[in-house]
Amino acid sequence: MDAFLTSLFALAIAEFGDRPQILCAALVIRFGRVQPVVWGLALATLVNCLLSAWAGSQVNQWISEEPVRLFYALSLLLAGVAMLAWRRPVDLLENWSTGAFWTSFLGLFILQFGDKGQFILAATAARTDAWIFAAIGGWIGVMLACLPAIILQERLAQAVPVVAMRKTGGTVLVAIGIILAMSAWGVL
């Protein structure tokens, strides 16, 4: 249950206001259809979460607990820093002519691949033997972060203080990452 809840909350925080959320809203506006974008997001995120969690479970077999704890702490710390830092604009995939589902699936898969969420999920899965629960929790977390953008589209920025939430989430992840890193180094 720890892996499930940890990955759910960490990814929901880390992905809110991030590029996948913006791309989801842009794709719904572009195609005028919600369902294919939701299905594309769901499948792309599921594949990415399964890959990340499985890779993390492999790390668990190679190294001892202390480096795994440090890996987890650093993944949260760096995700928080990324949330506080400037980010590149999102490519809205306007030149792609693959249809709503395939554009959503491929675009979001590529965008999420190697992103901070994957590192958080891999680090979470590395801490446990239940990597599948980490994957499911991470998938739900990303879906919870992106569904408001799909539903509200451009109204999201008006309805929710996205920048403030992003800064708050980044600060929380940095603080937790620092505390966990100090604990892993034996300082706390």
Side-chain angles (χ1 to χ4, degrees), residues 12-129:
I13 291 169
E15 295 298 328
F16 196 87
D18 201 25
R19 296 179 319 148
Q21 193 182 47
I22 295 166
L23 181 58
C24 285
L27 291 172
V28 170
I29 292 167
R30 174 181 163 195
F31 290 108
R33 297 172 52 208
V34 170
Q35 280 189 325
V37 176
V38 170
W39 285 111
L41 167 68
L43 186 58
T45 302
L46 181 63
V47 172
N48 268 319
C49 287
L50 288 171
L51 286 170
S52 302
W54 177 81
S57 73
Q58 300 306 302
V59 169
N60 182 354
Q61 297 173 14
W62 297 337
I63 59 178
S64 65
E65 185 176 329
E66 291 304 314
V68 167
R69 287 178 47 203
L70 185 58
F71 175 43
Y72 181 65
L74 291 176
S75 73
L76 294 176
L77 177 65
L78 294 174
V81 169
M83 289 180 74
L84 296 171
W86 174 85
R87 59 179 182 203
R88 292 178 297 149
V90 178
D91 178 2
L92 301 179
L93 313 177
E94 294 168 330
N95 295 329
W96 289 28
S97 60
T98 52
F101 171 78
W102 286 109
T103 300
S104 299
F105 170 72
L106 294 171
L108 289 162
F109 179 82
I110 292 166
L111 188 62
Q112 291 175 348
F113 197 81
D115 194 30
K116 65 185 174 298
Q118 273 199 317
F119 288 101
I120 291 172
L121 193 50
T124 302
R127 295 176 37 232
T128 179
D129 293 330

Side-chain angles (χ1 to χ4, degrees), residues 145-156:
C146 291
L147 285 176
I150 290 171
I151 295 165
L152 297 174
Q153 298 153 29
E154 69 270 353
R155 295 183 313 268
L156 179 68

